[in-house]
Amino acid sequence: MATTEIAGLTSLLENLGLSAPVPTYPEAQILENPLDIGRSYLAEILRSLVGVEDGIAYKAITWPNNIYNGDFSVPLPKLSHEKTPKDLASEITSKYKAASNSDMFIIPIPDGVHLRFIFMLKFLPRFLLPYIKDRGLAYGTDHLAGLRDRSNPDLGKKKVVIEFSSPNIESEFQGKNLRSTIIGSFLSRLHQAMGWDVVRLNYLGDWGKNIALLMVGWGKFGSEDAFKADPVGHMLSVWTQIHDLFQPAVVESKKLRDSGGDPAAVESQGLFAERNAIFKKMEDGDPETLVLWKRFRDASMENYKSLYSRLGTEFEEYSAESCFSPDTMAEVEAILRENNLSEESEGSLIVDMEKLTGRRGGGKIMIRDRNNSQTYALRELANILDRQRQHDFDKMIYVVADDHDTHFSRIFKLLELMGRVELSKKLVYVHFSRVSKMAEKFEKSLKMHKILDRCTDEMIKAVEASPDKAVVIGKADSTLSSVAISGLLAQELVARRAAAHSFDAAKMTAFARSSGPEIQYWYMRLDQILHETPPPSNPTALTDEELEIVVEEGSPETNLLRLLAEYPEITAAAYKSLESPGIVHYVDEVLNQLGKCFEMDEPEGGDDEEPEIFSAGQLAVYDATRQVLGNAMRILGITPVEF
Ligand code: ARG
């Protein structure tokens, strides 16, 4: 029976000489996390040796997050305040062997106030290899985590709407949209892995005054022929020109505003006036204006969709700023009015957050401008109400650059003031540093597709320069472009969200620690080895002899197994923090140990022709490693290239 069922798991553990059933602790997810099985037995051992109350021992067990510090560590003061750590350590170590189930760990090692526990090397492969094999793709996921009630699946899954990517149509994909796409896809997969019902939503920036400005630009610099030849490229060039032309007026109006003056005069003439007039036409539904708008929107949409397929990103829903509902906007305005939140100010409708919250620097939210045009904030509020009605979500995550910090904190606060406290609590703004410096690395206004082409070119050069990698990776175009995309993804995901990392084509295509190409290379190499020498199909049938190398003290295979046992812990931590670097660094650690396995097997004299011979036990470990590596890559969005 498979270990994915309690009965199968229990019988495996019994066969390994442990008592059944596994001691129960409410925090332990023994079907999802193998370390929780270790914790449960260890807690029981500690309880029997030290006589602490139920629950205390389990909670005292910490996870060092680094195999060199043991598989578990117990800070002794957490077990008892009466005895000194030294006395407690010697009491536990001296009585240890006599405790039941103590065969799971070697005799604990005192280390200051800590006691370190390491799995018995003989136990590890016999337990972990079937555990991983039985779970396959599900290893490292926890489908019960996203249930409304873990113990009652009938109550259903929780639902999360994740808004990400959300590029604008006037300015093509920018570094921040790329970063949002990569982080958002990762968070979507992470939530799916944790059993949530996930709606991936793209909120296209296709409405508002910038689009109107683009249309003003079209009147001045647009060319039908150029648009036909390269719609998005031409739009981008028109946008860049009109944007530059408009800047002096923007600066002047801001200067006036900052110095307490009235920018009305500046804003009622020149490009400001032209832009506002076009926006008014858009709002009034002027057919001619909307035909042009739709052409821009369609061209842009087509471009983005092909970009997403290149990046391996999908959405359940394409929403857009233009998809607002006038009724909901009226509803928002009514709520604001009824609650005395909005007021007239110099001809526009605003919410004075500073006044309402009493917080200095709270600022003002513009709801309708001087021309009575709806604003970004009004669309946002209406959207939240609409999305809640449409999806009835438990959580909505916005994966948006930190240029929206103020926007979202004000909007969430305003929702509370509007009496939608519960709804506001469901909204999460997952922000990240917008400084990717992508544009500076290549020519300005280079389109995203071209950037991806450049990455592939760099990738080809990098592979050519490393013959040992080239042997494994090969020359196929599709492989090289996948490996290049992996480079891009890994580079974005290795940095914490708040880090102002920079985009670096040379670095991301290099074979170096934590780089995408390096990860793919190792996956392909493993896959190739296992293809040539298939691993045993049933790891429980391995003989002691076959496992000999694997259970050798300090062998890289042993360390590899200890790392593989940690994987569900790593995904759980990522789920808590909504950060990806933990997973990338984990993959890096796995590759590091894997490298050591192969180093030791390199035949002396470096004769490359000699085929490597692996024991069935080693192959079973590599098979489990391929599974875990592949699972980690997939959750990051890096599709493993199979041999
Ligand atoms: N289109 C915006 C940008 O590129 C991001 C959209 C953020 N999402 C939202 N619901 N306001 O900066």
Side-chain angles (χ1 to χ4, degrees):
M1 193 190 290
T3 61
T4 44
E5 308 281 332
I6 285 287
L9 182 63
T10 314
S11 100
L12 173 75
L13 292 165
E14 267 185 304
N15 287 340
L16 296 175
L18 293 164
S19 65
V22 181
T24 19
Y25 288 94
E27 304 91 331
Q29 317 296 352
I30 60 172
L31 286 176
E32 288 78 26
N33 185 344
L35 288 189
D36 277 359
I37 298 177
R39 280 191 182 94
S40 302
Y41 280 104
L42 180 56
E44 221 28 45
I45 296 171
L46 292 172
R47 220 160 67 91
S48 73
L49 294 179
V50 191
V52 281
E53 262 172 58
D54 217 15
I56 292 205
Y58 191 94
K59 289 203 179 78
I61 301 170
T62 61
W63 174 57
N65 190 10
N66 174 351
I67 51 168
Y68 299 105
N69 289 332
D71 293 310
F72 294 114
S73 168
V74 177
L76 293 162
K78 285 207 170 162
L79 287 182
S80 161
H81 289 302
E82 278 116 57
K83 299 176 192 165
T84 65
K86 205 168 162 226
D87 290 345
L88 207 51
S90 63
E91 186 183 335
I92 296 175
T93 45
S94 63
K95 291 199 282 184
Y96 184 76
K97 270 277 141 227
S100 58
N101 297 319
S102 62
D103 268 359
M104 195 173 213
F105 302 96
I106 62 170
I107 295 181
I109 304 163
D111 180 5
V113 294
H114 290 88
L115 205 50
R116 305 211 180 274
F117 289 84
I118 298 172
F119 281 116
M120 190 73 94
L121 301 183
K122 275 203 304 246
F123 166 78
L124 211 52
R126 295 239 172 259
F127 158 64
L128 198 62
L129 292 173
Y131 193 97
I132 294 175
K133 181 127 195 135
D134 286 344
R135 281 157 186 75
L137 285 170
Y139 184 60
T141 68
D142 178 0
H143 287 288
L144 304 179
L147 292 181
R148 281 179 207 293
D149 178 351
R150 201 175 172 103
S151 56
N152 186 0
D154 290 347
L155 294 178
K157 294 172 169 192
K158 287 188 277 188
K159 187 170 194 178
V160 60
V161 173
I162 306 188
E163 188 214 287
F164 64 96
S165 195
S166 308
N168 301 324
I169 68 173
E170 76 280 5
S171 48
E172 227 250 344
F173 227 62
Q174 300 172 23
K176 62 176 181 175
N177 302 115
L178 176 70
R179 195 149 168 66
S180 168
T181 308
I182 294 173
I183 297 174
S185 303
F186 160 68
L187 293 178
S188 307
R189 278 184 298 269
L190 190 61
H191 278 80
Q192 275 165 342
M194 297 301 166
W196 285 70
D197 186 2
V198 177
V199 179
R200 287 165 295 187
L201 185 144
N202 193 339
Y203 184 54
L204 203 65
D206 67 347
W207 199 254
K209 291 191 174 158
N210 277 351
I211 314 293
L213 184 63
L214 173 68
M215 292 206 230
V216 174
W218 176 260
K220 300 190 192 313
F221 313 108
S223 137
E224 279 299 338
D225 288 341
F227 185 78
K228 249 188 221 120
D230 174 13
V232 174
H234 186 52
M235 265 162 63
L236 190 56
S237 125
V238 168
W239 168 252
T240 316
Q241 293 178 69
I242 191 69
H243 182 260
D244 290 350
L245 205 60
F246 187 46
Q247 275 321 290
V250 174
V251 171
E252 201 184 332
S253 129
K254 186 169 183 314
K255 228 196 254 155
L256 276 169
R257 203 182 295 269
D258 291 348
S259 60
D262 184 1
V266 177
E267 292 183 11
S268 62
Q269 52 178 323
L271 288 176
F272 260 113
E274 284 185 54
R275 180 198 69 173
N276 293 350
I278 293 202
F279 189 51
K280 195 82 202 128
K281 280 187 178 177
M282 284 167 67
E283 286 196 291
D284 293 345
D286 173 57
E288 208 180 307
T289 311
L290 289 187
V291 165
L292 181 61
W293 167 78
K294 197 167 172 313
R295 281 178 72 196
F296 289 162
R297 183 184 197 275
D298 290 350
S300 176
M301 198 70 167
E302 199 182 315
N303 173 49
Y304 287 143
K305 284 196 170 159
S306 70
L307 206 49
Y308 293 132
S309 94
R310 233 174 135 176
L311 291 169
T313 311
E314 282 166 27
F315 293 95
E316 273 75 31
E317 195 178 317
Y318 276 90
S319 159
E321 287 184 46
S322 63
C323 305
F324 52 82
S325 126
D327 288 350
T328 319
M329 291 208 295
E331 182 188 347
V332 170
E333 288 182 85
I335 302 172
L336 293 175
R337 224 178 303 117
E338 283 154 18
N339 291 283
N340 294 320
L341 298 170
S342 53
E343 59 183 275
E344 295 275 326
S345 165
E346 296 168 10
S348 40
L349 186 70
I350 60 143
V351 174
D352 189 334
M353 294 300 281
E354 180 157 337
K355 200 160 77 189
L356 291 169
T357 59
R359 230 187 280 148
R360 276 245 300 253
K364 296 184 172 75
I365 301 179
M366 172 99 68
I367 301 294
R368 282 195 182 270
D369 71 6
R370 231 189 280 265
N371 305 316
N372 200 33
S373 290
Q374 35 120 317
T375 58
Y376 190 52
L378 179 55
R379 289 197 288 279
E380 192 81 83
L381 290 164
N383 239 299
I384 294 173
L385 300 190
D386 278 340
R387 289 184 197 175
Q388 170 65 11
R389 278 192 278 255
Q390 186 193 343
H391 293 291
D392 192 20
F393 54 77
D394 297 278
K395 181 156 97 162
M396 175 151 72
I397 298 179
Y398 292 93
V399 188
V400 181
D402 55 10
D403 54 357
H404 277 59
D405 277 359
T406 325
H407 171 76
F408 281 117
S409 70
R410 282 182 189 159
I411 292 284
F412 294 176
K413 186 76 208 152
L414 179 53
L415 265 183
E416 281 176 29
L417 299 174
M418 287 162 68
R420 304 293 194 274
V421 181
E422 282 312 306
L423 177 56
S424 181
K425 276 195 212 145
K426 292 179 181 171
L427 308 179
V428 185
Y429 169 41
V430 169
H431 63 155
F432 57 84
S433 163
R434 98 204 79 147
V435 201
S436 94
K437 302 196 181 107
M438 183 167 79
E440 296 157 28
K441 301 285 162 174
F442 293 108
E443 302 147 33
K444 212 177 159 200
S445 65
L446 192 60
K447 286 183 302 166
M448 195 62 213
H449 269 300
K450 284 265 164 49
I451 292 182
L452 296 184
D453 292 344
R454 294 268 179 102
C455 293
T456 310
D457 294 343
E458 297 273 343
M459 195 65 246
I460 294 170
K461 278 191 242 155
V463 172
E464 275 169 3
S466 338
D468 55 325
K469 311 283 170 172
V471 181
V472 172
I473 293 179
K475 287 201 171 116
D477 284 349
S478 62
T479 307
L480 289 167
S481 65
S482 294
V483 176
I485 298 284
S486 310
L488 182 66
L489 299 180
Q491 171 162 284
E492 292 291 332
L493 293 168
V494 74
R496 287 181 71 81
R497 286 188 273 105
H501 78 308
S502 68
F503 180 90
D504 186 334
K507 243 200 207 152
M508 80 193 176
T509 50
F511 291 96
R513 291 198 77 151
S514 305
S515 83
E518 184 75 1
I519 298 172
Q520 285 287 11
Y521 161 76
W522 278 104
Y523 185 87
M524 289 177 83
R525 184 163 170 196
L526 260 188
D527 204 42
Q528 200 167 335
I529 290 173
L530 294 166
H531 190 80
E532 280 158 15
T533 341
S537 56
N538 178 13
T540 29
L542 287 166
T543 64
D544 283 347
E545 214 180 344
E546 286 171 323
L547 282 174
E548 212 178 309
I549 304 183
V550 175
V551 299
E552 230 168 66
E553 174 77 49
S555 76
E557 279 83 0
T558 295
N559 284 339
L560 200 45
L561 276 177
R562 294 171 61 209
L563 273 175
L564 300 187
E566 293 182 350
Y567 180 57
E569 210 68 45
I570 302 290
T571 49
Y575 174 56
K576 234 189 212 158
S577 62
L578 303 182
E579 289 276 7
S580 52
I583 301 183
V584 185
H585 291 136
Y586 170 79
V587 165
D588 193 42
E589 263 312 301
V590 170
L591 298 187
N592 187 24
Q593 289 300 335
L594 196 58
K596 290 186 185 162
C597 293
F598 295 142
E599 247 168 51
M600 312 235 318
D601 284 310
E602 220 65 83
E604 278 181 36
D607 183 354
D608 289 343
E609 299 303 308
E610 195 80 27
E612 289 163 297
I613 296 171
F614 302 108
S615 72
Q618 283 175 302
L619 289 168
V621 176
Y622 303 155
D623 190 23
T625 308
R626 173 176 58 177
Q627 184 71 61
V628 175
L629 197 54
N631 289 4
M633 289 164 77
R634 275 180 282 264
I635 214 163
L636 292 170
I638 302 178
T639 314
V641 180
E642 314 269 333
F643 174 66

